[in-house]
Amino acid sequence: MANPVMVSSGTFGCGSEYGDLVDVNSLGAIVTKTVTLKPRSGNPPPRIAESASGMLNAIGLENIGIDRFIEEKLPYLRSLRVPVIISIAGDTVEEYVCLAERLNKEKAAALELNISCPNVKSKKGRMFSQDKEGVKEVVSAARRQTKATLIVKLSPNVTDIKEIAMAAEEAGADVISLVNTFGGMLVDIEKKVPKLGNVTGGLSGPAIKPIALRMVYEAASCVDIPVVGQGGIMNWEDALEFIIVGADAVSIGTANFIDPRSTFKILEGIKKYMAAGGLKEISRLVGTLKISRE
Ligand SMILES: Cc1cc2nc3c(=O)[nH]c(=O)nc-3n(C[C@H](O)[C@H](O)[C@H](O)COP(=O)(O)O)c2cc1C
């Protein structure tokens, strides 16, 4: 990656959607909208609701399925000069393996295993990322299947993020990425109905930043693999907080909906901060948090 600012899965389509608005090639990397084996029509509307300092979504992984993805989206993605990370999800371990196999044949360089979408129920009845056995099972199966860089996207909806992060590393993840959205809900008090068709959804945006930051800090402190930090990053100062607590790169989600140029402003801010501090490499900043105030 030429720089540490990436875009989060599900908030940037497959890149081409933003092509008229930004120079996609100047991003650090693109993570594509999660793709599944079969096409999915997603959850019933409404799928998005605004809340204080955040948004709730329950898209339900609507996507065109891997066959059409390979046919319609990969040619554009291949034409890009930035690293492309393909996000995949399945209901079963076998589906993840099958997707990894298909993308191996297409010579995909990096996959992100989305094992943390709060808006779909896997056949297990819960997310793979919610217990360490689930993480180990799906990550090690995908690891056996592919030599591509394997990024594992973790859920914040857990009691102890450290044991989950360590399970992903032990099972062969090259990188962990966190956080996905926090389970939440909103109610329309006039109609007494949930604001989302799916009843519950995932909270993202500035409302989650301090919790996401704490989780990235905890996860980064117990693994040796690189960490991608995300969750409520709206500006360069937010991004730097994630890097200082241990994120090697940051990913921008909800901010893209407010200002499609957020990523570039964030990158500019990071560059200025580094220049002011005489820093040449972002790695010099990663994990530099001082606990002692002396
Ligand atoms: C509308 C929407 C759709 C999303 N779709 C996906 C998805 O398909 N796959 C995934 O791994 N994460 C998905 N996410 C989660 C984001 O990638 C990100 O992890 C999360 O929103 C936290 O970052 P943020 O607060 O900067 O948005 C989605 C988030 C939003 C808001």
Side-chain angles (χ1 to χ4, degrees), residues 150 255 269 275 278:
L150 206 55

Side-chain angles (χ1 to χ4, degrees), residues 8-11 33-34 48 55 57 59 61 87 112 114 116 153 179-181 204-206 208 230-233 251-255 257:
S8 301
S9 178
T11 66
K33 169 73 189 167
T34 300
I48 283 180
M55 69 180 274
N57 91 82
I59 309 294
L61 296 188
S87 169
E112 182 169 272
N114 175 4
S116 50
K153 174 119 174 237
V179 295
N180 208 317
T181 53
S204 62
I208 69 171
Q230 62 196 298
I233 300 178
S251 199
I252 314 303
T254 301
F257 299 138

Side-chain angles (χ1 to χ4, degrees), residues 25-53:
N25 280 314
S26 33
L27 291 165
I30 288 191
V31 187
T32 56
K33 169 73 189 167
T34 300
V35 65
T36 52
L37 215 44
K38 298 262 154 39
R40 289 177 62 101
S41 51
N43 286 325
R47 292 171 168 192
I48 283 180
E50 202 168 327
S51 67
S53 300

Side-chain angles (χ1 to χ4, degrees), residues 115 120-131 157:
I115 56 171
V120 294
K121 283 194 182 64
S122 75
K123 293 216 170 100
K124 281 174 81 201
R126 61 193 304 209
M127 296 177 242
F128 282 101
S129 58
Q130 280 183 307
D131 59 78
N157 302 299

